[in-house]
Amino acid sequence: MIGNNGQVDTTDHEPDLSFDTSLRVLEIDEDLVRKQLIINQMIEQTILIDSRPDAVNAMSDTRLQNVKQCFTHNVRPGTGIRYSYGWGGGLAENYIPAYQGPPRMKTDVEYQVSACKNEQQRLRSEIHDLERTVRESQTILKNCEQAIVRHKRESRDLQVEVQRLDDDVASLQEAIDRDALDESGLEVMKKELAEAKESLATYQAQFGDSVLASDKARDELRTLKERMKAIDDETDEVQAKIRKAEKRMVDKSKNRDDALRGKNSAIEELQKAEKSKEIAQKQRNDYAETINVWSDQASQICPRVPVDRGETCASLEKKLEKLQADHKRWETQLGGSHQEIIEAAARKVRAFQQARAQVAGVERLAQLLKETLVNRKERWKVFQRAITARARVQFMWILSERNFRGRLLANHKEKKLDLNVEPDPTKVGKGREAKTLSGGEKSFSTICLLLSLWDAMGAPVRCLDEFDVFMDSVNREVSMRKMIEAARYSIGKQFILITPGSMGSVSSSHDVKIIKMKDPERGQTAISFPNQ
């Protein structure tokens, strides 16, 4: 690898501090090695999670920022799982097999030896369990084979008994034929024949049960043979693992020998340290003599501090321990030491201030949301009034094309819409209700209402089917003209009008297209379509 001594700053490219990354866990002394690992292996964006379910939850909830991949432990010891984000945003999963080679980093050799021993013990326990399962399966297999032999013997005996009974039946039938004239002998023979038939039916049922039991035993034997084969395969696999483990144990034994040699070297260093200790003790004794000399010289200047009679070093230590115990008891009664009480009070004050700030923030937010809600309700009311006013004006304007008067009544609270129309312009009043109008007037009023509501709503596609059925020719012509004008005024909107009329008063143009259907034939029962 080719690199330089430049520094790489990963502060803005690392994930959240709650995750452990390869860069945060590893202790790298060489900056060049650290830089190459960041460039080639993305160790600053590789997170490490111990539990596999936690890793799945962390990677699959939302795409984590500054995270490229995640490593976690698998169920099988020594193996792992790598999770990463695919090109489509999905979660990719890769299996990492167990590493069988020597350690690639500085590790504890004793820990490696202990781990191999634990793995060997686990494999031996697994072999023991498998061997016990094999023995149990062999016992079951032997019992099944014995049952099959027993059933076969019983089947042969039953077949012999059936043949014997058939012979008895034939003999009885011959006796019946010979003694046909003997009524009493015939009745006896009939009874014996009935008993023989019952015995025959019983033996036949037993023979059928024996055959079923034999088939069942064969199926169980086949299942046990398959299980034994699977167990043998697992045993071979486990033995292969044991051989690998024993090989690793030999390697670890070599490492252990190296560790013992290191231990011997450490013992030699310890002996050297003991010699150094003796030299230091000798120096300490010299220093003690010097202190005694200095103490005698100090006594000449001032006397020693007096100690009560009978006091010894042990008694003075007991008094000191008693005072210390009293001090601890007082601290316990007070809830802690002076410093701990001050720190606890400071924490409570900070927590209270934070809680009060949070409450104030929530109250300000609630007040702001209330004001926003009130403002939106007011704007919604203004919008309703504007839409209603526009629909009213449009409705009155369209009615005036035929000298109709009318008004649109909207009650937003009760969610009701009504209209009043007066066809006679000479009459004075609020107008007539829709149910009092004639068919043509009602249809024309409905067309006017739809045009005014369409203009207010802004629907892109507007359809009407047979709107002029109840109109006379005058209302039909005016309504059609108004809808065509409304369609021309509504830019970007499409009108689809279906009518049974002839549309003779409307002519096609660049923005009006008329499609006429073929008149139906009398007596026609099916629609004929052209061949496609």
Side-chain angles (χ1 to χ4, degrees), residues 139-362:
T139 303
I140 296 172
L141 176 62
K142 185 176 180 181
N143 294 333
C144 292
E145 290 176 348
Q146 293 175 357
I148 290 173
V149 173
R150 186 170 59 255
H151 284 301
K152 287 182 178 179
R153 185 172 58 254
E154 292 176 357
S155 297
R156 289 194 298 269
D157 295 340
L158 290 173
Q159 287 177 355
V160 173
E161 185 67 18
V162 168
Q163 292 175 0
R164 187 183 64 79
L165 291 174
D166 289 335
D167 295 337
D168 293 341
V169 170
S171 300
L172 291 173
Q173 187 65 39
E174 290 175 0
I176 290 171
D177 295 335
R178 287 194 304 267
D179 300 335
L181 298 176
D182 190 358
E183 299 260 338
S184 60
L186 181 59
E187 293 295 329
V188 173
M189 292 297 177
K190 286 182 178 180
K191 291 181 180 180
E192 291 179 353
L193 177 61
E195 292 176 355
K197 288 183 178 179
E198 291 177 357
S199 300
L200 177 62
T202 302
Y203 286 126
Q204 287 178 348
Q206 292 178 356
F207 178 76
D209 295 336
S210 299
V211 171
L212 293 176
S214 177
D215 295 337
K216 183 178 180 182
R218 288 194 187 95
D219 295 336
E220 291 178 353
L221 179 61
R222 189 183 303 107
T223 304
L224 290 174
K225 287 183 178 179
E226 292 176 355
R227 287 181 58 189
M228 284 186 62
K229 183 178 179 182
I231 291 171
D232 291 337
D233 295 338
E234 292 179 358
T235 304
D236 295 337
E237 184 180 357
V238 171
Q239 288 178 352
K241 292 181 180 178
I242 289 174
R243 289 193 294 270
K244 292 182 180 179
E246 289 176 349
K247 183 179 178 182
R248 290 199 300 270
M249 186 176 68
V250 171
D251 296 335
K252 298 303 179 183
S253 298
K254 293 180 181 179
N255 295 332
R256 181 176 177 275
D257 295 337
D258 296 336
L260 287 175
R261 286 193 291 271
K263 178 183 177 182
N264 294 331
S265 301
I267 291 173
E268 293 178 358
E269 295 294 332
L270 179 62
Q271 292 176 354
K272 293 180 182 179
E274 292 288 343
K275 293 180 181 179
S276 300
K277 178 182 177 182
E278 292 177 358
I279 296 172
Q281 287 179 348
K282 184 177 179 181
Q283 292 178 354
R284 182 181 65 81
N285 294 332
D286 296 337
Y287 290 148
E289 292 178 0
T290 303
I291 290 172
N292 291 330
V293 173
W294 288 353
S295 298
D296 294 336
Q297 294 175 0
S299 298
Q300 296 176 2
I301 298 174
C302 65
R304 294 177 63 86
V305 176
V307 179
D308 296 339
R309 185 179 296 276
E311 295 289 346
T312 61
C313 180
S315 62
L316 292 175
E317 288 180 354
K318 288 183 179 179
K319 288 183 178 180
L320 178 60
E321 291 176 356
K322 183 177 181 302
L323 292 174
Q324 291 176 349
D326 294 338
H327 184 263
K328 290 182 179 179
R329 186 175 65 256
W330 294 337
E331 288 182 350
T332 303
Q333 293 176 356
L334 293 175
S337 63
H338 181 69
Q339 184 64 27
E340 291 176 350
I341 293 173
I342 292 175
E343 292 177 356
R347 288 196 299 270
K348 297 297 182 181
V349 170
R350 288 195 298 270
F352 171 74
Q353 292 176 353
Q354 292 177 358
R356 185 167 59 183
Q358 290 178 357
V359 170
V362 171

Side-chain angles (χ1 to χ4, degrees), residues 44-58:
E44 82 284 2
Q45 296 183 352
T46 301
I47 63 175
L48 307 174
I49 300 177
D50 184 64
S51 176
R52 182 178 179 180
D54 295 340
V56 174
N57 293 333

Side-chain angles (χ1 to χ4, degrees), residues 403-405 422-429:
N403 293 326
F404 282 17
R405 289 186 299 104
E422 179 57 56
D424 190 357
T426 59
K427 292 184 178 180
V428 180

